[in-house]
mmCIF file of all heavy atoms in Angstrom:
data_model
loop_
_atom_site.group_PDB
_atom_site.id
_atom_site.type_symbol
_atom_site.label_atom_id
_atom_site.label_comp_id
_atom_site.label_asym_id
_atom_site.label_seq_id
_atom_site.Cartn_x
_atom_site.Cartn_y
_atom_site.Cartn_z
ATOM 1 N N SER A 160 -7.828 -27.984 -9.407
ATOM 2 C CA SER A 160 -8.344 -27.138 -10.486
ATOM 3 C C SER A 160 -7.225 -26.809 -11.507
ATOM 4 O O SER A 160 -7.531 -26.419 -12.615
ATOM 5 C CB SER A 160 -9.036 -25.858 -9.939
ATOM 6 O OG SER A 160 -8.042 -25.026 -9.463
ATOM 7 N N MET A 161 -5.982 -27.035 -11.142
ATOM 8 C CA MET A 161 -4.926 -26.848 -12.133
ATOM 9 C C MET A 161 -4.561 -28.082 -12.871
ATOM 10 O O MET A 161 -3.621 -28.192 -13.604
ATOM 11 C CB MET A 161 -3.685 -26.269 -11.435
ATOM 12 C CG MET A 161 -3.883 -24.830 -11.015
ATOM 13 S SD MET A 161 -2.482 -24.234 -10.049
ATOM 14 C CE MET A 161 -1.292 -24.011 -11.294
ATOM 15 N N GLY A 162 -5.370 -29.170 -12.628
ATOM 16 C CA GLY A 162 -5.229 -30.394 -13.378
ATOM 17 C C GLY A 162 -4.152 -31.363 -12.834
ATOM 18 O O GLY A 162 -3.649 -32.157 -13.606
ATOM 19 N N PHE A 163 -3.880 -31.249 -11.583
ATOM 20 C CA PHE A 163 -2.829 -32.147 -11.009
ATOM 21 C C PHE A 163 -3.412 -33.460 -10.400
ATOM 22 O O PHE A 163 -2.711 -34.122 -9.671
ATOM 23 C CB PHE A 163 -2.062 -31.371 -9.914
ATOM 24 C CG PHE A 163 -1.095 -30.386 -10.454
ATOM 25 C CD1 PHE A 163 -1.036 -29.128 -9.845
ATOM 26 C CD2 PHE A 163 -0.237 -30.687 -11.499
ATOM 27 C CE1 PHE A 163 -0.136 -28.110 -10.356
ATOM 28 C CE2 PHE A 163 0.674 -29.735 -11.932
ATOM 29 C CZ PHE A 163 0.725 -28.472 -11.375
ATOM 30 N N LYS A 164 -4.674 -33.705 -10.731
ATOM 31 C CA LYS A 164 -5.379 -34.884 -10.095
ATOM 32 C C LYS A 164 -4.542 -36.165 -10.303
ATOM 33 O O LYS A 164 -4.267 -36.855 -9.282
ATOM 34 C CB LYS A 164 -6.781 -34.994 -10.677
ATOM 35 C CG LYS A 164 -7.519 -36.249 -10.322
ATOM 36 C CD LYS A 164 -8.294 -36.082 -9.022
ATOM 37 C CE LYS A 164 -9.114 -37.265 -8.623
ATOM 38 N NZ LYS A 164 -8.363 -38.469 -8.225
ATOM 39 N N ASP A 165 -4.147 -36.425 -11.523
ATOM 40 C CA ASP A 165 -3.428 -37.699 -11.767
ATOM 41 C C ASP A 165 -2.089 -37.719 -11.057
ATOM 42 O O ASP A 165 -1.676 -38.745 -10.504
ATOM 43 C CB ASP A 165 -3.230 -37.931 -13.302
ATOM 44 C CG ASP A 165 -4.563 -38.160 -13.943
ATOM 45 O OD1 ASP A 165 -5.566 -38.450 -13.247
ATOM 46 O OD2 ASP A 165 -4.631 -38.096 -15.223
ATOM 47 N N ASP A 166 -1.442 -36.582 -11.107
ATOM 48 C CA ASP A 166 -0.124 -36.467 -10.464
ATOM 49 C C ASP A 166 -0.247 -36.743 -8.964
ATOM 50 O O ASP A 166 0.541 -37.475 -8.354
ATOM 51 C CB ASP A 166 0.515 -35.082 -10.629
ATOM 52 C CG ASP A 166 0.944 -34.876 -12.094
ATOM 53 O OD1 ASP A 166 0.966 -35.855 -12.812
ATOM 54 O OD2 ASP A 166 1.289 -33.720 -12.442
ATOM 55 N N LEU A 167 -1.302 -36.187 -8.390
ATOM 56 C CA LEU A 167 -1.492 -36.393 -6.932
ATOM 57 C C LEU A 167 -1.768 -37.848 -6.668
ATOM 58 O O LEU A 167 -1.161 -38.423 -5.688
ATOM 59 C CB LEU A 167 -2.736 -35.568 -6.432
ATOM 60 C CG LEU A 167 -2.546 -34.037 -6.342
ATOM 61 C CD1 LEU A 167 -3.735 -33.440 -5.643
ATOM 62 C CD2 LEU A 167 -1.294 -33.710 -5.528
ATOM 63 N N ASP A 168 -2.573 -38.510 -7.511
ATOM 64 C CA ASP A 168 -2.830 -39.920 -7.289
ATOM 65 C C ASP A 168 -1.518 -40.710 -7.315
ATOM 66 O O ASP A 168 -1.274 -41.540 -6.478
ATOM 67 C CB ASP A 168 -3.784 -40.436 -8.405
ATOM 68 C CG ASP A 168 -5.210 -40.040 -8.102
ATOM 69 O OD1 ASP A 168 -5.534 -39.780 -6.961
ATOM 70 O OD2 ASP A 168 -6.024 -40.011 -9.090
ATOM 71 N N THR A 169 -0.667 -40.392 -8.304
ATOM 72 C CA THR A 169 0.590 -41.106 -8.461
ATOM 73 C C THR A 169 1.469 -40.888 -7.197
ATOM 74 O O THR A 169 2.006 -41.852 -6.617
ATOM 75 C CB THR A 169 1.364 -40.580 -9.687
ATOM 76 O OG1 THR A 169 0.456 -40.574 -10.803
ATOM 77 C CG2 THR A 169 2.567 -41.431 -9.974
ATOM 78 N N ILE A 170 1.541 -39.657 -6.790
ATOM 79 C CA ILE A 170 2.434 -39.344 -5.634
ATOM 80 C C ILE A 170 1.854 -40.004 -4.374
ATOM 81 O O ILE A 170 2.638 -40.659 -3.633
ATOM 82 C CB ILE A 170 2.546 -37.795 -5.430
ATOM 83 C CG1 ILE A 170 3.253 -37.177 -6.634
ATOM 84 C CG2 ILE A 170 3.323 -37.510 -4.149
ATOM 85 C CD1 ILE A 170 3.124 -35.702 -6.692
ATOM 86 N N LEU A 171 0.549 -39.883 -4.172
ATOM 87 C CA LEU A 171 -0.011 -40.496 -2.983
ATOM 88 C C LEU A 171 0.259 -42.015 -2.935
ATOM 89 O O LEU A 171 0.517 -42.558 -1.872
ATOM 90 C CB LEU A 171 -1.519 -40.207 -2.954
ATOM 91 C CG LEU A 171 -1.856 -38.815 -2.422
ATOM 92 C CD1 LEU A 171 -3.237 -38.342 -3.005
ATOM 93 C CD2 LEU A 171 -1.927 -38.805 -0.919
ATOM 94 N N SER A 172 0.197 -42.588 -4.146
ATOM 95 C CA SER A 172 0.362 -44.103 -4.116
ATOM 96 C C SER A 172 1.803 -44.457 -3.868
ATOM 97 O O SER A 172 2.131 -45.614 -3.532
ATOM 98 C CB SER A 172 -0.124 -44.667 -5.404
ATOM 99 O OG SER A 172 0.679 -44.192 -6.484
ATOM 100 N N GLU A 173 2.761 -43.562 -3.980
ATOM 101 C CA GLU A 173 4.182 -43.870 -3.733
ATOM 102 C C GLU A 173 4.598 -43.667 -2.282
ATOM 103 O O GLU A 173 5.727 -44.006 -1.884
ATOM 104 C CB GLU A 173 5.072 -42.918 -4.550
ATOM 105 C CG GLU A 173 5.050 -43.105 -6.027
ATOM 106 C CD GLU A 173 6.232 -43.885 -6.488
ATOM 107 O OE1 GLU A 173 7.266 -43.862 -5.811
ATOM 108 O OE2 GLU A 173 6.152 -44.600 -7.574
ATOM 109 N N THR A 174 3.722 -43.087 -1.508
ATOM 110 C CA THR A 174 4.075 -42.801 -0.130
ATOM 111 C C THR A 174 3.658 -43.937 0.776
ATOM 112 O O THR A 174 2.740 -44.733 0.449
ATOM 113 C CB THR A 174 3.356 -41.489 0.363
ATOM 114 O OG1 THR A 174 1.995 -41.645 0.182
ATOM 115 C CG2 THR A 174 3.827 -40.269 -0.404
ATOM 116 N N PRO A 175 4.355 -44.072 1.927
ATOM 117 C CA PRO A 175 4.022 -45.235 2.784
ATOM 118 C C PRO A 175 2.625 -45.149 3.438
ATOM 119 O O PRO A 175 2.149 -44.040 3.696
ATOM 120 C CB PRO A 175 5.100 -45.161 3.835
ATOM 121 C CG PRO A 175 5.593 -43.800 3.859
ATOM 122 C CD PRO A 175 5.395 -43.219 2.480
ATOM 123 N N GLU A 176 2.069 -46.246 3.674
ATOM 124 C CA GLU A 176 0.738 -46.328 4.334
ATOM 125 C C GLU A 176 0.656 -45.559 5.623
ATOM 126 O O GLU A 176 -0.320 -44.912 5.928
ATOM 127 C CB GLU A 176 0.423 -47.805 4.607
ATOM 128 C CG GLU A 176 -0.361 -48.511 3.528
ATOM 129 C CD GLU A 176 -1.773 -48.046 3.412
ATOM 130 O OE1 GLU A 176 -2.498 -48.249 4.401
ATOM 131 O OE2 GLU A 176 -2.160 -47.433 2.408
ATOM 132 N N GLU A 177 1.762 -45.672 6.402
ATOM 133 C CA GLU A 177 1.695 -45.161 7.781
ATOM 134 C C GLU A 177 1.991 -43.664 7.862
ATOM 135 O O GLU A 177 2.038 -43.117 8.969
ATOM 136 C CB GLU A 177 2.557 -45.962 8.682
ATOM 137 C CG GLU A 177 3.992 -46.120 8.362
ATOM 138 C CD GLU A 177 4.220 -47.188 7.260
ATOM 139 O OE1 GLU A 177 3.280 -47.701 6.670
ATOM 140 O OE2 GLU A 177 5.398 -47.497 7.017
ATOM 141 N N ARG A 178 2.182 -42.991 6.695
ATOM 142 C CA ARG A 178 2.393 -41.547 6.792
ATOM 143 C C ARG A 178 1.111 -40.879 7.336
ATOM 144 O O ARG A 178 0.028 -41.365 7.286
ATOM 145 C CB ARG A 178 2.625 -40.986 5.366
ATOM 146 C CG ARG A 178 1.375 -41.186 4.574
ATOM 147 C CD ARG A 178 1.136 -40.458 3.346
ATOM 148 N NE ARG A 178 -0.288 -40.532 3.110
ATOM 149 C CZ ARG A 178 -0.874 -41.347 2.229
ATOM 150 N NH1 ARG A 178 -0.155 -42.147 1.508
ATOM 151 N NH2 ARG A 178 -2.162 -41.363 2.102
ATOM 152 N N GLN A 179 1.393 -39.648 7.870
ATOM 153 C CA GLN A 179 0.219 -38.830 8.296
ATOM 154 C C GLN A 179 -0.047 -37.812 7.206
ATOM 155 O O GLN A 179 0.884 -37.118 6.792
ATOM 156 C CB GLN A 179 0.526 -38.111 9.626
ATOM 157 C CG GLN A 179 -0.625 -37.307 10.119
ATOM 158 C CD GLN A 179 -0.317 -36.643 11.493
ATOM 159 O OE1 GLN A 179 0.863 -36.292 11.780
ATOM 160 N NE2 GLN A 179 -1.331 -36.408 12.293
ATOM 161 N N THR A 180 -1.258 -37.732 6.698
ATOM 162 C CA THR A 180 -1.571 -36.811 5.626
ATOM 163 C C THR A 180 -2.313 -35.608 6.208
ATOM 164 O O THR A 180 -3.300 -35.762 6.947
ATOM 165 C CB THR A 180 -2.439 -37.486 4.510
ATOM 166 O OG1 THR A 180 -1.727 -38.621 4.099
ATOM 167 C CG2 THR A 180 -2.664 -36.557 3.342
ATOM 168 N N LEU A 181 -1.799 -34.427 5.844
ATOM 169 C CA LEU A 181 -2.441 -33.163 6.294
ATOM 170 C C LEU A 181 -2.897 -32.420 5.071
ATOM 171 O O LEU A 181 -2.096 -32.005 4.228
ATOM 172 C CB LEU A 181 -1.409 -32.331 7.069
ATOM 173 C CG LEU A 181 -0.608 -33.049 8.158
ATOM 174 C CD1 LEU A 181 0.481 -32.144 8.702
ATOM 175 C CD2 LEU A 181 -1.530 -33.559 9.250
ATOM 176 N N LEU A 182 -4.190 -32.342 4.871
ATOM 177 C CA LEU A 182 -4.720 -31.754 3.645
ATOM 178 C C LEU A 182 -5.364 -30.396 3.989
ATOM 179 O O LEU A 182 -6.207 -30.284 4.872
ATOM 180 C CB LEU A 182 -5.734 -32.687 3.020
ATOM 181 C CG LEU A 182 -6.401 -32.255 1.710
ATOM 182 C CD1 LEU A 182 -6.829 -33.478 0.908
ATOM 183 C CD2 LEU A 182 -7.614 -31.367 1.897
ATOM 184 N N PHE A 183 -4.868 -29.375 3.253
ATOM 185 C CA PHE A 183 -5.423 -28.020 3.493
ATOM 186 C C PHE A 183 -6.082 -27.573 2.213
ATOM 187 O O PHE A 183 -5.520 -27.700 1.152
ATOM 188 C CB PHE A 183 -4.303 -27.011 3.841
ATOM 189 C CG PHE A 183 -3.799 -27.248 5.231
ATOM 190 C CD1 PHE A 183 -2.885 -28.307 5.493
ATOM 191 C CD2 PHE A 183 -4.190 -26.468 6.298
ATOM 192 C CE1 PHE A 183 -2.378 -28.534 6.754
ATOM 193 C CE2 PHE A 183 -3.704 -26.737 7.556
ATOM 194 C CZ PHE A 183 -2.815 -27.732 7.803
ATOM 195 N N SER A 184 -7.274 -27.006 2.336
ATOM 196 C CA SER A 184 -7.994 -26.588 1.176
ATOM 197 C C SER A 184 -8.946 -25.466 1.561
ATOM 198 O O SER A 184 -9.463 -25.423 2.703
ATOM 199 C CB SER A 184 -8.775 -27.812 0.657
ATOM 200 O OG SER A 184 -9.436 -27.487 -0.582
#
Side-chain angles (χ1 to χ4, degrees):
S160 71
M161 288 173 75
F163 287 133
K164 170 88 175 69
D165 291 345
D166 289 349
L167 287 187
D168 282 337
T169 312
I170 296 166
L171 279 154
S172 63
E173 291 260 335
T174 55
E176 266 290 295
E177 55 281 9
R178 64 161 199 260
Q179 183 178 28
T180 305
L181 312 173
L182 182 152
F183 289 78
S184 186

